[in-house]
Amino acid sequence: MALGCVGEVAAGTARRARRALGGVAGAADAVVRTLIEAVLDRVDLDALVSRVDVNLIVERVDVNQVAERLDVDQVADRVDIDAVIARIDLVGLTRDVLNEIDIGRIVRDTGGGMAAETGEAIRLLGRRGDRTVNQLADRLLGRAVRDARAGGERGTGGGKAAAQQAAAGQAAATQQAAAEQAAAAEQATADTQSGRTP
């Protein structure tokens, strides 16, 4: 019986001790919380943060490990693409790009080659047209007609003097037409290079 009484007394003492310790622990927690709040109220956090060497922290960060943990699909799902596009100044961006590349020079460079090719094609067509008109005039006037492909004369002829006169007239007409066509082609080339359309 004495042993039972001793056990009850010990158990009661243990309970009282636990209650007392619990009360002390609660009081200690309250005191610590109050102290921390008082310290934080007096600390200038901006001054404290300004003393932190961010570069040193960044050097210690393992970017590859951060990237491995990053779920790109989840990030992309959260991005509002329409909002991003709405923030972009497309007109200003386009203007800046066009200012950086010289469109006028590109058009002049490419247009110059096209104008030269076009001028040559016009000259060839002009020569063929002159030849055809001269041949038609020779036939109508009964003059000897030269076959441009064969290089020889054909037809009935009207004498040597008439052939020479016809050749001189044809040469003069061809020269005048060629000069006019060359002037027109040069003007077209100049217009293309200056940015105007003929």
Side-chain angles (χ1 to χ4, degrees):
M1 176 134 195
L3 200 51
C5 283
V6 173
E8 283 180 33
V9 172
T13 305
R15 281 193 297 271
R16 282 191 294 275
R18 276 195 295 269
R19 275 196 300 259
L21 286 176
V24 170
D29 287 346
V31 169
V32 168
R33 258 187 252 116
T34 305
L35 283 173
I36 289 174
E37 288 175 9
V39 168
L40 288 177
D41 286 343
R42 292 184 181 191
V43 171
D44 183 5
L45 290 178
D46 291 332
L48 183 65
V49 169
S50 68
R51 298 172 94 186
V52 174
D53 186 1
V54 178
N55 291 327
L56 184 63
I57 294 171
V58 170
E59 286 176 8
R60 293 182 179 177
V61 172
D62 184 3
V63 177
N64 292 327
Q65 189 177 14
V66 172
E68 286 175 7
R69 291 181 170 187
L70 185 65
D71 184 3
V72 178
D73 293 331
Q74 190 177 20
V75 172
D77 288 344
R78 292 182 178 188
V79 174
D80 184 3
I81 299 295
D82 294 331
V84 172
I85 291 172
R87 290 181 172 192
I88 297 173
D89 179 15
L90 291 177
V91 173
L93 182 62
T94 304
R95 188 179 309 115
D96 291 343
V97 169
L98 290 176
N99 286 338
E100 288 298 318
I101 54 176
D102 187 3
I103 294 289
R105 182 183 55 79
I106 293 172
V107 169
R108 283 190 302 272
D109 290 349
T110 57
M114 290 172 43
E117 291 174 11
T118 303
E120 183 62 30
I122 290 171
R123 283 190 286 277
L124 286 175
L125 287 172
R127 284 186 209 135
R128 287 183 191 156
D130 286 343
R131 220 177 283 130
T132 303
V133 168
N134 288 332
Q135 288 174 352
L136 179 63
D138 288 344
R139 284 186 189 153
L140 290 173
L141 297 174
R143 293 184 272 193
V145 179
R146 281 197 156 249
D147 186 358
R149 287 170 288 170
E153 286 188 6
R154 61 179 187 171
T156 57
K160 191 172 183 180
Q164 287 176 343
Q165 186 179 10
Q170 183 178 0
T174 302
Q175 284 178 344
Q176 182 178 356
E180 290 171 0
Q181 290 171 356
E186 286 175 13
Q187 183 62 44
T189 302
D191 288 345
T192 301
Q193 290 177 345
S194 68
R196 297 179 301 209
T197 53

